[in-house]
Amino acid sequence: MTTSEQWAKLMEEHEIAYLRGDLATSSPQSYTLDEKRQICKQMEASTADIDAALRADYWSMPADARSRMLDLLGTSGCETRQWWEELLGVVR
């Protein structure tokens, strides 16, 4: 299970990557193509790291807790249940 310190680090890295992305899109002439490519890679990597941590935490729960969590996520209004199932790797 991911600790709160690990989550904080993941979120900070994610926010920094996306801030760099925002800066690059607001002033594209200030960045070389290679710099833009690296920024995109960092954004993709930070998203993949968070997704992997979410999946790991989800699958570390007991089966009944996973079921309740998926029900909760599916009704939260933040994405659809199907989206959460795909993200978490739930096979129907």
Side-chain angles (χ1 to χ4, degrees):
M1 193 153 189
T2 310
T3 66
S4 59
E5 292 84 16
Q6 291 168 321
W7 273 113
K9 183 175 175 12
L10 285 171
M11 292 305 297
E12 180 180 359
E13 290 171 357
H14 187 72
E15 289 170 5
I16 290 170
Y18 275 78
L19 174 62
R20 288 182 180 138
D22 287 343
L23 292 171
T25 56
S26 66
S27 182
Q29 69 280 6
S30 299
Y31 296 85
T32 67
L33 186 56
D34 285 336
E35 288 171 325
K36 292 175 195 173
R37 186 178 294 117
Q38 185 59 34
I39 289 168
C40 286
K41 286 181 182 180
Q42 290 170 343
M43 291 168 67
E44 290 172 349
S46 71
T47 300
D49 290 346
I50 288 175
D51 290 353
L54 282 171
R55 276 190 294 280
D57 281 358
Y58 175 78
W59 288 104
S60 71
M61 296 178 184
D64 62 324
R66 288 194 310 265
S67 178
R68 289 192 312 269
M69 178 61 75
L70 194 54
D71 289 343
L72 177 69
L73 291 169
T75 60
S76 69
C78 179
E79 303 300 342
T80 64
R81 182 182 176 102
Q82 180 180 357
W83 185 89
W84 284 107
E85 288 173 350
E86 290 174 10
L87 177 72
L88 297 171
V90 177
V91 178
R92 289 182 173 204

